[in-house]
Amino acid sequence: MENTITLKQFLVQSQREGQDQIDTDLIELLDNIMSACKKIADGVKHGALYGVLGSAGSENVQGETQKKLDVMSNEVFIAATQWGGQLAGMASEEEEDVYSIPAQYPRGKYLMYFDPLDGSSNIDVNITVGSIFSITRCPEGVSDPKLADYLIPGTEQVCAGFCLYGPSTMLVMTTGNGVNGFTLDPGTGEFVLTHLNMTIPEDTKEFAINMSNQRFWEAPVQRYVDECLAGKTGPRDKDFNMRWVASMVAEVYRILTRGGIFMYPKDNKDPSKAGKLRLMYEANPMSFIVEQAGGMSSTGRERIMEIQPEAIHQRVPVILGSKNEVERVVSYHKD
Ligand code: AHM
Ligand code: MG
């Protein structure tokens, strides 16, 4: 245990080494995010013992049924971070409007966007879920940010991360200088550096997509998946493997570990929706992490992090992972 480096130590050391993005406020904010993640991990682990499984009997702004753990995780995230004085405001998948920091707390310079419990359709079936967060600077001179102040492109992110509630609890994050993974030690309650400088292999033989939507996809994605399925007998001349966990956090973690491509592409299932996943608290943070690990992230037509957001709950197509495969899908969109 002597040589272990905790997440907090790692951040302080990185600050001392002059990493521009890291300041004391960010370290304190991340410390509070860690507290939130530990509480949520505890709730997820205890499941039925805490009576937290099942539906909360309400819907969020996206019209999705909220699970009890969705609601609880959202409350935990807000309670753990709003008091610290580092945030000017926050936006959550589970909140219709942006969340103003209550008047009794000081306001800080950062904005936080988060999905308190991603993959929540998996809660009741005991499969990995996670929390995703993204941090940007609040626009200069703004102390009481309004909706428009939050519409900042992903390229401006100062930090992004996710916490995975799986067989082990892991926090993976970037501050724009590579990606590192920390495993929660259940004995000490500390996140310990276990995965230094995670990188995504450029090539892969594994793809992840919800095949039940196949008939709704556009031609470039149809072509890409057809070619993967053809395996050795097709133009790719190699067999592919497929995975679909229905938890983006678990898919991105797998890709960070052994490569792969993840797609929730544009489809015509519901023409009013540009995709399923949300730009501000799913696509942007995951894109930042994937790019920092040497991968690529695109809608098929543009780099996700360069999208100028138009709404806080905006949806976008997402194609991310091993660079050469994502490039291939993007090239099919150009053809
Ligand atoms: P959520 O934030 O409501 O959980 O939705 C996002 C999740 C992603 O984690 C996952 O990739 C996707 O939805 C799965 O969708 P589907 O059930 O359509 O396969
Ligand atoms: Mg989500």
Side-chain angles (χ1 to χ4, degrees):
M1 287 299 288
E2 271 163 28
N3 294 323
T4 57
I5 298 174
T6 67
L7 176 46
K8 178 119 186 220
Q9 251 179 300
F10 181 82
L11 289 167
V12 171
Q13 272 172 24
S14 305
Q15 183 190 18
R16 285 188 192 136
E17 283 159 16
Q19 239 204 76
D20 292 349
Q21 302 268 50
I22 302 181
D23 64 12
T24 307
D25 277 354
L26 185 67
I27 295 174
E28 292 304 321
L29 173 57
L30 286 166
D31 211 28
N32 292 343
I33 291 174
M34 276 185 259
S35 301
C37 293
K38 285 186 227 174
K39 281 208 179 86
I40 298 168
D42 185 58
V44 170
K45 282 227 147 38
H46 283 84
L49 296 174
Y50 279 4
V52 291
L53 302 186
S55 162
S58 50
E59 276 190 358
N60 66 14
V61 58
Q62 354 253 342
E64 298 157 345
T65 307
Q66 289 179 305
K67 303 276 186 180
K68 284 185 197 155
L69 265 173
D70 279 326
V71 175
M72 185 208 98
S73 305
N74 189 50
E75 285 166 1
V76 166
F77 243 87
I78 292 174
T81 55
Q82 64 178 353
W83 62 275
Q86 302 91 22
L87 286 175
M90 44 184 140
S92 163
E93 173 173 329
E94 304 301 336
E95 300 277 335
E96 180 160 4
D97 297 317
V98 296
Y99 181 86
S100 297
I101 303 298
Q104 73 257 39
Y105 302 124
R107 290 198 176 157
K109 59 174 177 274
Y110 290 115
L111 295 177
M112 179 172 73
Y113 313 73
F114 63 101
D115 178 353
L117 204 60
D118 180 61
S120 52
S121 70
N122 281 323
I123 294 170
D124 295 345
V125 290
N126 206 0
I127 289 176
T128 300
V129 288
S131 304
I132 312 174
F133 59 90
S134 160
I135 299 166
T136 62
R137 265 174 212 282
C138 187
E140 206 62 46
V142 176
S143 60
D144 184 16
K146 304 287 181 253
L147 180 64
D149 298 310
Y150 285 80
L151 304 180
I152 300 170
T155 46
E156 298 297 311
Q157 290 173 101
V158 172
C159 173
F162 63 87
C163 189
L164 198 68
Y165 312 117
S168 49
T169 297
M170 284 201 67
L171 203 144
V172 174
M173 56 163 283
T174 183
T175 51
N177 189 29
V179 177
N180 297 289
F182 304 82
T183 306
L184 182 64
D185 179 338
T188 60
E190 296 277 11
F191 281 102
V192 175
L193 178 63
T194 47
H195 294 63
L196 183 67
N197 208 6
M198 301 181 85
T199 47
I200 301 176
E202 290 192 349
D203 291 299
T204 181
K205 290 196 222 173
E206 197 162 68
F207 68 100
I209 193 163
N210 185 337
M211 284 295 295
S212 71
N213 293 323
Q214 180 170 26
R215 68 191 183 283
F216 303 113
W217 302 335
E218 296 185 313
V221 173
Q222 297 277 9
R223 174 181 169 193
Y224 177 77
V225 173
D226 280 350
E227 290 179 0
C228 291
L229 293 175
K232 274 206 172 94
T233 61
R236 300 300 307 274
D237 202 22
K238 59 179 182 182
D239 288 335
F240 279 77
N241 186 27
M242 200 201 86
R243 287 285 182 273
W244 189 249
V245 188
S247 271
M248 191 193 199
V249 280
E251 323 268 12
V252 170
Y253 187 75
R254 186 186 61 247
I255 289 170
L256 284 165
T257 312
R258 65 179 190 209
I261 180 169
F262 167 91
M263 291 173 282
Y264 216 117
K266 184 171 158 46
D267 63 38
N268 59 19
K269 194 176 189 177
D270 177 353
S272 69
K273 291 178 185 164
K276 171 167 186 191
L277 300 173
R278 275 57 54 116
L279 174 62
M280 305 305 284
Y281 37 81
E282 292 174 328
N284 267 341
M286 291 311 203
S287 298
F288 191 19
I289 291 167
V290 165
E291 287 194 11
Q292 282 294 316
M296 186 173 166
S297 178
S298 169
T299 63
R301 295 180 168 84
E302 61 187 318
R303 184 178 169 217
I304 287 178
M305 290 212 288
E306 285 175 3
I307 296 173
Q308 174 56 51
E310 285 165 4
I312 203 80
H313 298 294
Q314 179 174 348
R315 294 172 192 264
V316 287
V318 174
I319 298 165
L320 59 75
S322 292
K323 199 161 172 270
N324 291 338
E325 292 300 302
V326 178
E327 258 168 12
R328 178 180 285 270
V329 182
V330 169
S331 77
Y332 289 1
H333 280 79
K334 287 185 185 136
D335 283 352

